[in-house]
Amino acid sequence: MGRVNDPNTPSGHPTDLGDPLAAFAALRTAEGRALLDEVRDVEPAQELAAATRLRRTHSAPLVSAALAQAQLRRRAAAKFGAEDAARMFFTPNGVEQSTRSSVAAHRAARFQALGVRSLADLCCGIGGDALALARAGISVLAVDRDPLTCAVARANAEALGLAELIEVREADVTEVDTSAYDAVFVDPARRSSGRGRIFDPESYSPPLSWAVETALKAPLAALKIAPGIPHEAIPATAGAEWISDGGDVKEAVLWFGTDTPASHRATLLPGGATLWSALDTMLPDPGVRPVGRYLYEPDGAVIRAHLVAEVAARVDGGLIDETIAYVTSDARHDTPYATAYEITDQLPFNVKKLKALLRERGVGILTVKKRGSAVEPEELRRKVKPQGKNAATVFLTRVAGAPTMLIGHPAP
């Protein structure tokens, strides 16, 4: 780590931290760790004042690196939990692309249940999946080609007391021999610095075709993919799993070597409910029927897995429109795979009529959901100006092809 003579910097402090690896190494020194502890609770609005104060006793680059890392830790708390995030290290891409800890723990538990004791984690990033696997008692080879990413992954394994189970290797994943491991997990990069998210699986880094070829050579393998992957791009030999957490679809995984090939699965966290069907036994699309007393909104993972028909069968329902994934039924059924709403009104789309109805009922707490409508929820809220103490949910959708508003509330 280079040093320069700067009259405004306390003597002996490193100031040449332009190299990301040097900056990260500085954060792991005794001084860097103490500084991280000091800036842990600094809010964004306080950063300028804190930086001015801390630069009297620490180098400006080190203060900047510490404040940036503290900000990343705050962002990462949503994925890793506050306790782990406060001890871990992150990069901006690492926070954005790493697996949420609840999802990683679910996948690790499934690997463990399948008898995996050693695993090669290819494209490991900052180590989110490797940490969950190690916590499940699995020995992990974590591979990435970026030096800083590897350094961060190594530091995270040490920070969480899992270094004995995680070997981090800086290498091109396409050149790593994985034959000695029980399983392989591949998480290809699905973002480009210039183009944002990548939707073509062959534009992943490495491409999906390489990942599938690698998976087929392993006794057991899982490939993390974007949840919006075209179903025709899924190999017939893979079992596909879509995972949601708190109702938000987080990712999809292709499983190879299990006893459920050629299947679709929707897993809903945190509860862990799983809806599964083999491809050759999936139910046909349910028929369209008039809107009944109840409307069921399937979880996003269920929709992505094309298992809406299975939900409709469970609630004895049908679709409100052949192109819309809302299920309707005359009866109330408990199911973890869909949220039930009791429908009180069905109206053709008309903002003035909706505004009048909401005013008449004193609705000031309005939830707007849309599926098959071009109207944005916030735009509708501005137009109807809800006022009052009562609550309601309005669905902007299509019923048998016609733009429709369905009004109701969550079913008890």
Side-chain angles (χ1 to χ4, degrees), residues 120 122 173-179 183-186 206-223 256:
L122 307 181
V173 296
T174 64
E175 300 175 356
V176 175
D177 181 5
T178 62
S179 60
V184 169
F185 174 63
V186 188
L208 180 62
S209 57
W210 176 88
V212 170
E213 182 181 350
T214 300
L216 292 172
K217 296 176 184 177
L220 182 70
L223 312 181
F256 296 82

Side-chain angles (χ1 to χ4, degrees), residues 19-38:
D19 175 10
L21 273 174
F24 180 66
L27 287 178
R28 300 197 67 205
T29 63
E31 180 187 10
R33 289 180 181 277
L35 190 54
L36 282 171
D37 288 339
E38 192 168 353

Side-chain angles (χ1 to χ4, degrees), residues 122-123 145 172-175 184-191 195 198-216 222-226 229 233 235 254 256:
L122 307 181
C123 309
R145 65 184 178 185
D172 184 333
V173 296
T174 64
E175 300 175 356
V184 169
F185 174 63
V186 188
D187 181 5
R190 293 177 299 283
R191 288 180 182 270
R195 293 180 295 155
I198 295 173
F199 297 98
D200 177 9
E202 284 307 295
S203 295
Y204 292 176
S205 180
L208 180 62
S209 57
W210 176 88
V212 170
E213 182 181 350
T214 300
L216 292 172
L223 312 181
K224 180 177 172 181
I225 55 175
I229 186 173
L254 302 183
F256 296 82

Side-chain angles (χ1 to χ4, degrees), residues 1-164:
M1 179 163 42
R3 299 172 183 272
V4 297
N5 293 323
D6 183 347
N8 298 316
T9 300
S11 176
H13 289 291
T15 61
D16 184 10
L17 298 182
D19 175 10
L21 273 174
F24 180 66
L27 287 178
R28 300 197 67 205
T29 63
E31 180 187 10
R33 289 180 181 277
L35 190 54
L36 282 171
D37 288 339
E38 192 168 353
V39 301
R40 175 181 300 175
D41 299 321
V42 174
E43 297 294 333
Q46 303 169 328
E47 284 187 357
L48 181 59
T52 301
R53 172 176 54 83
L54 292 169
R55 285 170 181 166
R56 297 170 189 152
T57 52
H58 303 279
S59 75
L62 183 59
V63 170
S64 296
L67 287 169
Q69 189 61 222
Q71 187 178 85
L72 291 173
R73 285 176 167 179
R74 286 192 295 272
R75 286 174 53 195
K79 281 190 174 183
F80 290 90
E83 184 178 349
D84 280 354
R87 294 184 289 165
M88 293 172 64
F89 294 90
F90 302 95
T91 65
N93 284 343
V95 172
E96 183 69 25
Q97 299 178 26
S98 59
T99 302
R100 181 176 291 265
S101 61
S102 56
V103 177
H106 159 73
R107 183 163 39 244
R110 190 169 182 199
F111 271 121
Q112 183 188 48
L114 290 167
V116 172
R117 295 293 174 263
S118 64
L119 178 144
D121 178 4
L122 307 181
C123 309
C124 68
I126 62 170
D129 279 282
L131 296 171
L133 290 160
R135 280 177 164 165
I138 297 172
S139 177
V140 183
L141 169 66
V143 184
D144 203 283
R145 65 184 178 185
D146 180 66
L148 177 59
T149 299
C150 287
V152 172
R154 215 172 273 120
N156 287 336
E158 294 175 8
L160 299 187
L162 298 167
E164 291 186 2

Side-chain angles (χ1 to χ4, degrees), residues 7 25 59 61 83 88 121 138 151 153 166 177 182 214 224 227 246 257 265 284 298 303 307 315 325 349 359 390:
S59 75
E83 184 178 349
M88 293 172 64
D121 178 4
I138 297 172
I166 301 175
D177 181 5
D182 297 339
T214 300
K224 180 177 172 181
R265 180 189 304 267
I303 296 172
L307 294 173
V315 302
F349 180 79
R359 185 186 301 116
N390 297 322

